[in-house]
Amino acid sequence: MSNEMQLKYGCNPNQKPSRVYMADGSELPIEVLCGRPGYINLLDALNGWQLVKELKAATGVCAATSFKHVSPAGAAIGRPLSDDLKKIYWVDDLGELTPLASAYARARGADRMSSYGDFIALSDKVDVCTAKMIQREVSDGIIAPDYDPEALEILKSKRKGTYCILKIDPSYKPAPIETKQVYGVSFEQGRNELDINRELLSNVVTENKNIPDDKKDDLLISLITLKYTQSNSVCYVKDGQAIGIGAGQQSRIHCTRLAGQKADNWWLRQSPQVMGLQFVDDIRRADRDNAIDVYIGDEYEDVLREGEWQRIFKVKPAVFTREEKKAWLAKNTGVCLGSDAFFPFGDNIERAKKSGVEFIAEPGGSIRDDNVIETCNKYNIAMAFTGIRLFHH
């Protein structure tokens, strides 16, 4: 390792020269095992590594995240997958999954459209099962603390030997003050070293005070994910994984709607209508994901019209009607929601309820907190005020 790495270019090809380096002269905490990382790759890698490291510390379970454009498309811990989840994540042919493979299947499967071409971060040593799963996905690279020798060789075979593989020193601890420049002006701040733990969930302000332990873990997953998501951001979580992440929206209600739609799509993919789709044998994985996304949306006719459906399906699917979708979505319950800043109005709660939200963690502090709490009470939602904001830019 060295204290400097030259890059091909910055965010865009015209932004040259480009490099990453350690200003104090120390060695970089990352080692390139294969490929050549780019500027955005490294932003994704370093943010993603922090996320999974904190998820592992908070839950005691290995973790994975799928990053795109400096925000996570998915994040999860390594809980076992049901048969239905294995099927909708396209991993039902891989046999018994290791916990780390389960974590990445969940992280990748939450929003497969957004995860296409992702940068992966894993909290633990990469095993062969996880490497085989990654081998067949379209991905730009991976960062992890270590790799099994066979797993490393599998990953090195991706993209004709150019797949970006990074090894990070898990003991690395950055300086407490961080700096960056914008338009030639230097910014300096203390690093966000906030420890996100269950104590942050102790101030339950609603009439319903009951937040079970497994839901507390899900709320911690949402908050840690938000800590590394471009703001404004909200995160829906269920059973140990993010199912809808809304990032970078100027309006919080738009963020809640965006993430809620992603959570709805995740649930709709588990419906009998989608599980029963019969795809042609030679369809590409990305085309299959896109077809499902269109089929469950308002523009379903794009994949059902004559001459098009034959290219995708063996048998023409019936229309997934609005009424059928509404009935299926009503079965999604026990969802947790985190927000990186306070909800200013109860309309966010109204939208969250439509996606099965029953538990919420947000900072509190709005002049309309009473309206937000009242809306939660209307639906028997338990909400904790954490007292902390998690903006990330």
Side-chain angles (χ1 to χ4, degrees):
M1 290 191 286
S2 67
N3 74 337
E4 179 177 328
M5 186 189 308
Q6 296 293 327
L7 306 176
K8 190 174 181 180
Y9 52 77
C11 281
N12 299 288
N14 64 295
Q15 292 180 265
K16 300 176 181 178
S18 177
R19 63 171 177 150
V20 292
Y21 64 98
M22 301 297 287
D24 63 1
S26 63
E27 290 191 340
L28 285 165
I30 51 175
E31 179 183 358
V32 180
L33 303 183
C34 186
R36 185 179 182 184
Y39 190 97
I40 296 174
N41 291 154
L42 290 171
L43 288 175
D44 285 343
L46 294 174
N47 278 282
W49 166 249
Q50 293 176 83
L51 194 163
V52 296
K53 184 179 181 181
E54 290 189 33
L55 280 186
K56 172 83 178 282
T59 65
V61 182
C62 61
T65 188
S66 171
F67 252 70
K68 281 289 292 291
H69 296 293
V70 207
S71 280
I77 58 174
R79 291 181 183 171
L81 300 178
S82 67
D83 289 342
D84 282 352
L85 286 180
K86 286 181 181 178
K87 186 174 181 181
I88 70 165
Y89 295 161
W90 316 119
V91 297
D92 52 328
D93 61 332
L94 292 177
E96 191 70 24
L97 300 180
T98 62
L100 191 63
S102 295
Y104 180 62
R106 288 178 177 276
R108 176 83 183 203
D111 183 1
R112 287 186 60 85
M113 293 289 289
S114 295
S115 285
Y116 185 84
D118 64 351
F119 207 97
I120 301 162
L122 301 175
S123 65
D124 288 50
K125 186 177 186 179
V126 181
D127 53 46
V128 170
C129 181
T130 308
K132 287 182 177 179
M133 183 182 295
I134 293 169
Q135 183 182 34
R136 61 190 190 180
E137 300 288 5
V138 176
S139 171
D140 276 1
I142 182 172
I143 187 169
D146 204 356
Y147 299 83
D148 284 339
E150 186 180 349
L152 182 59
E153 291 307 309
I154 291 170
L155 293 174
K156 282 183 175 181
S157 72
K158 279 182 67 65
R159 297 178 65 166
K160 298 180 180 179
T162 65
Y163 187 61
C164 181
I165 304 173
L166 303 178
K167 180 179 177 180
I168 187 161
D169 177 2
S171 67
Y172 168 69
K173 186 173 178 60
I177 301 296
E178 60 185 15
T179 61
K180 70 175 182 179
Q181 283 194 340
V182 177
Y183 201 53
V185 178
S186 294
F187 288 66
E188 184 176 279
Q189 66 175 354
R191 278 182 46 78
N192 188 357
E193 300 284 11
L194 178 74
D195 179 27
I196 295 178
N197 54 50
R198 289 190 177 186
E199 288 185 15
L200 293 177
L201 306 175
S202 60
N203 182 24
V204 182
V205 296
T206 47
E207 292 174 358
N208 181 0
K209 306 289 185 184
N210 182 36
I211 304 179
D213 284 347
D214 63 325
K215 301 304 179 184
K216 288 180 180 178
D217 280 347
D218 283 352
L219 288 173
L220 293 181
I221 291 169
S222 74
L223 295 175
I224 292 170
T225 300
L226 292 169
K227 189 178 176 185
Y228 298 101
T229 303
Q230 299 298 306
S231 301
N232 284 323
S233 58
V234 301
C235 179
Y236 294 71
V237 174
K238 184 170 181 174
D239 296 338
Q241 71 165 95
I243 60 172
I245 301 171
Q249 301 302 301
Q250 292 82 1
S251 163
R252 191 155 300 276
I253 184 59
H254 289 161
C255 192
T256 304
R257 291 171 184 163
L258 172 64
Q261 186 60 59
K262 289 176 180 284
D264 291 349
N265 287 350
W266 174 83
W267 184 249
L268 288 170
R269 285 179 61 197
Q270 300 172 63
S271 66
Q273 288 86 345
V274 174
M275 298 286 283
L277 292 173
Q278 299 180 50
F279 293 96
V280 295
D281 293 334
D282 59 348
I283 190 169
R284 294 171 59 246
R285 296 169 74 82
D287 291 336
R288 183 175 52 188
D289 291 332
N290 183 63
I292 292 174
D293 200 60
V294 176
Y295 174 69
I296 62 180
D298 293 333
E299 299 178 346
Y300 57 87
E301 291 180 353
D302 288 353
V303 293
L304 297 185
R305 67 174 180 263
E306 194 64 26
E308 182 64 15
W309 73 261
Q310 292 94 334
R311 188 181 65 83
I312 303 168
F313 306 108
K314 293 179 179 178
V315 179
K316 184 178 181 180
V319 172
F320 196 174
T321 67
R322 187 183 298 267
E323 292 74 21
E324 289 171 333
K325 287 188 282 190
K326 185 176 181 180
W328 179 256
L329 288 171
K331 297 180 180 181
N332 192 15
T333 58
V335 177
C336 293
L337 175 66
S339 178
D340 67 351
F342 62 68
F343 287 127
F345 302 105
D347 56 354
N348 290 275
I349 310 303
E350 297 281 357
R351 176 58 190 88
K353 177 60 180 175
K354 292 179 181 178
S355 294
V357 169
E358 297 181 18
F359 308 93
I360 295 175
E362 60 123 315
S366 167
I367 60 172
R368 297 297 303 278
D369 274 348
D370 56 345
N371 173 243
V372 176
I373 294 170
E374 180 184 0
T375 309
C376 285
N377 288 338
K378 180 169 69 171
Y379 296 115
N380 198 37
I381 292 172
M383 179 171 65
F385 277 176
T386 65
I388 52 99
R389 194 175 75 179
L390 293 169
F391 279 173
H392 179 66
H393 294 285

